[in-house]
Amino acid sequence: MKLGRRQFLSASAALAAASTAPALFAQARTPQPSRYPADVWQTIDDRFKQFVLFNTPLERHWSGGLWLEGPAWNAVGRYAVFSDIPRALQMRWDEVTGEVSVLRHEVGHSNGNTFDARGRLVACEHYPPKVVRYEWDGSTTVLAETYQGKPLNAPNDLVAVGSGGIIFTDPGYGAHVDYEGHKRELELETAVYYIDDSLDEPVVLTTALFKPNGIALGPDKQTLFVSDTAPSHYPQKPATITRYKLSPDYRKLQDEKQIVASPKETYDGMTCDAQGNVWAATSGGEGIDGVSVFDREGALLGRILLPEVCANVCFVGDDRNRLLMTASQSIYTLYTGAKGA
């Protein structure tokens, strides 16, 4: 069958319109829906059922990172900041549009992020090792980079506290290989520190943990949880989560209690819900990788299972009921029946 020139042009235009029509393009890219409830929920304790939503999917919003970490929610801007550590990028996920973009580059292999009480972004950087605050005028303030004249190991994760100060962990992961920082010998003990603008150097809160890693504040803002990823360098030691009570000036840890210990799985970044439960990023292989939820005494309530190792978590959204998870190369969200602390 032969087409005349006019017919050929009409057919070509129709084909081009069909191939680029937004509705058809969207339809071609839309994945097949999955059956509710999503099979990512794993209930261990009946108390976990209150957090399980029947009709919500696990959403993967973006993939393409190397090792994603440190999500922090900005409620005013309705966006989350997270890090791609090997690429030394701070990334931005926009809740409204769903778009992911580069916020800053060459940020010293940035890891953990948080927003302080004045809405300023504070970040841990592996190399040069420091805790840095981004001011409203675009300048940066280095809050901590040395202790007793020696460089910090590689600040990892942090929380902002009521004094205006910052508590951060310093396990040294960014100093072990030339990937998430630069390889060098650690000059300090691994530690948890407190710093604020009145101090010339940070205050050591504890050096008892082997690899102090993730950190979270309870809803009372005086309870602190710290994970220890000891097995990465001390294979005979378990991974743990320890609970502390902060002194009124935030410069001392009290009432130490190890609430979780496991030789089979590892806990990284954490967040707390309004009830005081701990939502901990977890690695341990298929059937474990994702998020483990513990009550404040360490009882395992349930899990959210992911197809990738999860590094860190935070609650986002107007109702703070949507869990954002940085998992290896991708970011995921899942609506829950919980609210962030």
Side-chain angles (χ1 to χ4, degrees):
M1 175 180 175
K2 292 184 179 180
L3 292 176
R5 182 174 181 274
R6 181 173 297 176
Q7 291 173 304
F8 177 81
L9 292 175
S10 298
S12 298
L15 179 61
S19 64
T20 58
L24 293 177
F25 184 73
Q27 185 179 12
R29 294 187 59 185
T30 300
Q32 290 296 314
S34 56
R35 183 178 295 278
Y36 286 147
D39 59 5
V40 300
W41 303 99
Q42 184 184 76
T43 299
I44 307 296
D45 185 302
D46 281 348
R47 289 175 291 169
F48 188 66
K49 292 180 180 178
Q50 65 184 303
F51 305 132
V52 178
L53 298 184
F54 171 82
N55 58 340
T56 186
L58 177 70
E59 298 178 84
R60 186 167 87 166
H61 298 277
W62 180 80
S63 191
L66 293 181
W67 181 250
L68 304 181
E69 256 279 15
W73 172 243
N74 186 296
V76 175
R78 295 183 65 183
Y79 66 87
V81 174
F82 63 97
S83 300
D84 188 347
I85 303 176
R87 290 195 173 111
L89 296 174
Q90 279 181 346
M91 307 294 290
R92 181 182 186 275
W93 170 69
D94 189 299
E95 183 198 24
V96 178
T97 66
E99 293 182 357
V100 171
S101 58
V102 175
L103 179 65
R104 292 184 180 90
H105 64 94
E106 297 181 356
V107 287
H109 299 277
S110 180
N111 189 340
N113 300 283
T114 194
F115 288 93
D116 69 10
R118 295 178 59 188
R120 297 171 297 184
L121 179 64
V122 186
C124 290
E125 296 188 1
H126 283 177
Y127 191 84
K130 59 187 176 183
V131 178
V132 61
R133 184 175 66 214
Y134 294 90
E135 308 293 352
W136 287 113
D137 63 1
S139 64
T140 58
T141 299
V142 176
L143 299 178
E145 57 186 339
T146 61
Y147 177 70
Q148 295 186 343
K150 297 178 180 179
L152 297 173
N153 297 324
N156 189 281
D157 203 1
L158 72 172
V159 291
V161 293
S163 62
I166 297 291
I167 296 176
F168 67 95
T169 60
D170 191 27
Y173 284 112
H176 294 316
V177 293
D178 292 322
Y179 184 60
E180 295 184 12
H182 290 286
K183 186 175 182 179
R184 57 189 175 84
E185 294 296 322
L186 303 185
E187 299 184 46
L188 294 168
E189 292 184 274
T190 58
V192 180
Y193 293 96
Y194 169 86
I195 189 67
D196 64 32
D197 286 338
S198 72
L199 298 170
D200 293 327
E201 69 173 19
V203 174
V204 173
L205 299 183
T206 181
T207 57
L209 303 178
F210 294 93
K211 285 291 183 183
N213 197 323
I215 190 168
L217 275 179
D220 63 358
K221 307 304 179 185
Q222 292 293 141
T223 302
L224 187 75
F225 297 91
V226 183
S227 67
D228 185 353
T229 47
S232 67
H233 287 74
Y234 302 88
Q236 303 307 312
K237 300 294 183 181
T240 65
I241 299 175
T242 301
R243 188 185 72 216
Y244 303 91
K245 191 73 173 178
L246 288 164
S247 64
D249 64 358
Y250 303 97
R251 300 186 186 195
K252 292 181 181 178
L253 298 180
Q254 304 166 340
D255 301 334
E256 174 184 343
K257 182 180 181 181
Q258 186 181 100
I259 63 168
V260 177
S262 175
K264 297 182 179 180
E265 55 192 58
T266 301
Y267 315 107
D268 199 332
M270 302 179 293
T271 192
C272 287
D273 64 27
Q275 297 180 24
N277 301 306
V278 179
W279 299 61
T282 305
S283 61
E286 187 175 356
I288 294 177
D289 291 342
V291 179
S292 302
V293 183
F294 302 95
D295 71 11
R296 71 183 311 274
E297 298 299 328
L300 179 62
L301 303 181
R303 300 183 191 272
I304 296 168
L305 302 178
L306 297 179
E308 303 178 65
V309 170
C310 189
N312 214 327
V313 295
C314 73
F315 283 103
V316 303
D318 288 344
D319 295 319
R320 296 295 298 280
N321 64 339
R322 191 177 188 183
L323 192 68
L324 173 67
M325 297 159 277
T326 50
S328 300
Q329 301 168 64
S330 311
I331 60 169
Y332 298 84
T333 64
L334 181 71
Y335 283 96
T336 75
K339 286 182 178 290

